[in-house]
């Protein structure tokens, strides 16, 4: 593995590690490790210590795992390196899940000993919320459609000039590790993936707009502004990151036509995820969950937060058959999750699973 490859891998994984380590600081101030708390309690020294403890232990674990990953990458041959990276990602996900569950139960145990909030909770709803411009228009995805059609026409017009053996997979040094015999399925693979990917991102943009609103009762105007900035930021991320991924698959098509060299393709392949991850990293730290880090007041709210902990399993999975909302803000982390008690949730998961399966089939 070259020094440049090591640097690019570090640029991909370090922001991810920092985001996971800082996760308790990015949530709303009414949630601590998946459990509802008052803002005064969130700002107390007791919960400060818990957040510091979580960040310290998870940071140590991620750092050790990252060092082991780099060592293993240096020892592995080019074919094994993709497997090492895959195993590293799985381990990061497992560590994150275990840490969140451990601190969720710690928080549940601590909760009865925390001071109660005298003011009762209030639920605020802004009936004009969805009349405003919450996300970028899906018309931006028409650019994606034009690029997909251009690539499709190019490979069909020049099909006879494409080599009989097409490189399909590369290692970190740009060496071909798997090729496919030329066929319409193999040459149209990038266009098909681009199409499914664009449909998926359109759906994500739609879900950002239609997710459940959370308005703070004691300062609804500020809360509304925060939420709008949060949604628009992630909508912009959706449009731009999908465009970057679309261009990556267009580069793969150009490589089939012999219009781009392998080194350039490898560099673009690494720079694209770096762009996506750094973009998500910056938005997460700028806005926090639901826009809570934007114009955060010096003092916490005196109102008791709305408590629906009984519907959040392990503080992470929302299950409420009586709630018509399909998408809502995550309690742990930044972004949105599904209401697993909503029948459409399983159709969404089935669609995402189908997309992954189709990607695998066409990549073979």
């Amino acid at each position: 593995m070259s020094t440049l490859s090591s640097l690019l891998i570090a640029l991909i994984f370090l922001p991810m590690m920092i985001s996971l380590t800082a996760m308790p600081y990015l949530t709303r101030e009414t949630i601590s490790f998946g459990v509802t708390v008052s803002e005064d309690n969130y700002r107390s020294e007791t919960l400060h210590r818990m957040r510091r403890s979580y960040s310290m232990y998870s940071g140590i674990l991620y750092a050790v795992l990252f060092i082991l990953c780099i060592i293993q990458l240096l020892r592995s041959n080019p074919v094994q390196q993709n497997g090492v990276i895959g195993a590293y990602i799985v381990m990061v996900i497992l560590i994150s899940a275990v840490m969140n569950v451990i601190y969720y139960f710690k928080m549940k145990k601590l909760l009865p000993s925390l001071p109660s909030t005298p003011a009762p909770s209030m639920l605020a709803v802004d009936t004009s919320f969805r009349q405003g411009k919450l996300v970028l228009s899906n018309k931006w995805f028409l650019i994606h459609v034009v690029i997909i059609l251009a690539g499709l026409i190019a490979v069909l017009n020049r099909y006879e000039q494409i080599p009989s053996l097409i490189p399909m997979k590369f290692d970190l040094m740009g060496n071909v590790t798997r090729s496919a015999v030329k066929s319409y399925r193999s040459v149209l693979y990038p266009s098909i993936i681009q199409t499914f990917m664009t449909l998926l991102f359109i759906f994500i943009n739609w879900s950002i707009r239609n997710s459940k609103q959370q308005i703070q009762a004691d300062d609804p105007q500020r809360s509304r502004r925060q939420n709008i900035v949060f949604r628009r930021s992630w909508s912009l991320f959706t449009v731009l990151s999908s465009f970057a991924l679309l261009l990556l698959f267009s580069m793969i098509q150009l490589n089939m036509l012999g219009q781009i060299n392998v080194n350039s393709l490898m560099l673009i392949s690494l720079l694209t995820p770096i762009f996506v991850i750094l973009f998500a990293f910056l938005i997460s730290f700028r806005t926090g969950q639901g826009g809570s880090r934007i114009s955060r007041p010096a003092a916490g709210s005196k109102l008791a937060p709305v408590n629906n902990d009984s519907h959040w399993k392990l503080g992470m999975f929302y299950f409420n058959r009586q709630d018509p909302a399909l998408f809502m803000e995550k309690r742990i982390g930044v972004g949105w999750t599904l209401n697993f008690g909503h029948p459409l949730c399983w159709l969404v998961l089935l669609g995402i699973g189908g997309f992954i399966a189709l990607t695998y089939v066409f990549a073979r």
Side-chain angles (χ1 to χ4, degrees):
M1 190 173 63
S2 67
T3 304
L4 178 60
S5 298
S6 303
L7 178 64
L8 292 174
I9 286 174
L11 283 173
I12 292 173
F13 290 127
L14 285 178
M16 183 176 70
M17 289 165 50
I18 294 170
S19 298
L20 290 172
T21 301
M23 202 63 77
Y25 296 93
L26 303 179
T27 61
R28 285 179 178 272
E29 289 192 321
T30 51
I31 302 295
S32 179
F33 301 105
V35 178
T36 300
V37 295
S38 69
E39 291 191 12
D40 279 348
N41 281 328
Y42 180 90
R43 298 184 181 204
S44 68
E45 182 54 32
T46 304
L47 296 195
H48 267 305
R49 280 200 301 273
M50 275 191 77
R51 288 193 288 274
R52 282 199 297 267
S53 163
Y54 176 97
S55 296
M56 182 182 71
Y57 287 121
S58 58
I60 291 171
L61 288 172
Y62 293 135
V64 170
L65 188 62
F66 180 69
I67 292 169
L68 290 176
C69 174
I70 294 295
I71 292 172
Q72 196 57 40
L73 282 174
L74 293 171
R75 289 178 176 175
S76 304
N77 63 46
V79 178
Q80 295 170 327
Q81 286 173 347
N82 287 332
V84 173
I85 291 175
Y88 168 75
I89 292 172
V90 170
M91 285 300 297
V92 168
I93 293 170
L94 284 176
I95 288 174
S96 173
V98 171
M99 287 291 294
N100 287 330
V101 170
I102 289 173
Y103 275 80
Y104 167 75
F105 283 111
K106 277 189 175 184
M107 191 62 234
K108 291 279 282 185
K109 188 177 177 182
L110 178 67
L111 188 64
S113 66
L114 296 177
S116 59
T117 304
S121 64
M122 290 175 63
L123 178 64
V125 177
D126 183 354
T127 55
S128 64
F129 184 68
R130 299 194 190 283
Q131 294 172 10
K133 187 178 178 182
L134 299 178
V135 298
L136 298 183
S137 167
N138 278 337
K139 289 178 182 175
W140 284 102
F141 289 100
L142 288 174
I143 299 173
H144 298 52
V145 174
V146 171
I147 293 174
I148 294 170
L149 289 175
L152 188 66
I153 293 168
V155 292
L156 289 178
N157 280 343
R158 301 182 63 181
Y159 182 78
E160 297 304 326
Q161 299 169 35
I162 297 174
S164 57
L165 203 58
I166 304 171
M168 298 294 286
K169 197 172 181 181
F170 302 87
D171 61 27
L172 294 173
M173 299 299 293
N175 303 307
V176 178
T177 58
R178 189 169 65 81
S179 301
V181 176
K182 182 176 77 173
S183 67
Y184 280 104
R185 191 180 81 168
S186 57
V187 300
L188 293 179
Y189 159 70
S191 299
I192 293 167
I193 297 301
Q194 284 174 322
T195 303
F196 282 116
M197 194 175 65
T198 300
L199 291 173
L200 180 63
F201 278 105
I202 289 173
F203 176 73
I204 291 171
N205 198 41
W206 175 84
S207 66
I208 290 173
R209 185 187 188 286
N210 291 284
S211 62
K212 189 173 183 176
Q213 66 165 285
Q214 285 187 232
I215 301 293
Q216 215 163 330
D218 64 337
D219 194 352
Q221 291 303 320
R222 178 178 58 82
S223 177
R224 186 179 189 276
R225 285 196 302 273
Q226 289 175 328
N227 207 280
I228 289 173
V229 171
F230 177 67
R231 292 181 193 233
R232 286 180 184 171
S233 299
W234 282 106
S235 175
L236 179 66
F237 169 81
T238 301
V239 172
L240 292 185
S241 58
S242 64
F243 186 69
L245 292 169
L246 195 84
L247 290 181
L248 173 61
F249 280 94
S250 293
M251 294 300 109
I252 294 173
Q253 276 186 324
L254 285 175
N255 182 56
M256 290 178 181
L257 297 170
Q259 301 297 313
I260 186 169
N261 67 53
V262 173
N263 289 333
S264 300
L265 179 61
M266 287 307 301
L267 185 62
I268 294 167
S269 299
L270 288 169
L271 288 177
T272 302
I274 288 172
F275 166 74
V276 173
I277 289 171
L278 285 179
F279 196 1
F281 176 82
L282 291 173
I283 294 178
S284 299
F285 278 85
R286 176 177 171 257
T287 67
Q289 178 63 306
S292 57
R293 290 174 65 89
I294 301 169
S295 305
R296 180 175 282 181
S301 170
K302 297 301 177 187
L303 289 178
V306 176
N307 188 328
N308 61 351
D309 284 3
S310 60
H311 297 301
W312 287 90
K313 311 305 175 189
L314 296 176
M316 291 183 272
F317 306 105
Y318 186 72
F319 190 95
N320 186 357
R321 288 197 177 99
Q322 277 69 52
D323 191 340
L326 179 57
F327 302 97
M328 59 271 310
E329 290 179 14
K330 291 159 68 175
R331 284 198 155 191
I332 297 177
V334 177
W336 291 268
T337 186
L338 288 162
N339 175 6
F340 291 92
H342 197 296
L344 286 179
C345 165
W346 302 104
L347 285 178
V348 172
L349 294 177
L350 191 64
I352 294 172
F355 170 71
I356 295 170
L358 280 171
T359 305
Y360 178 75
V361 168
F362 280 103
R364 290 180 66 82

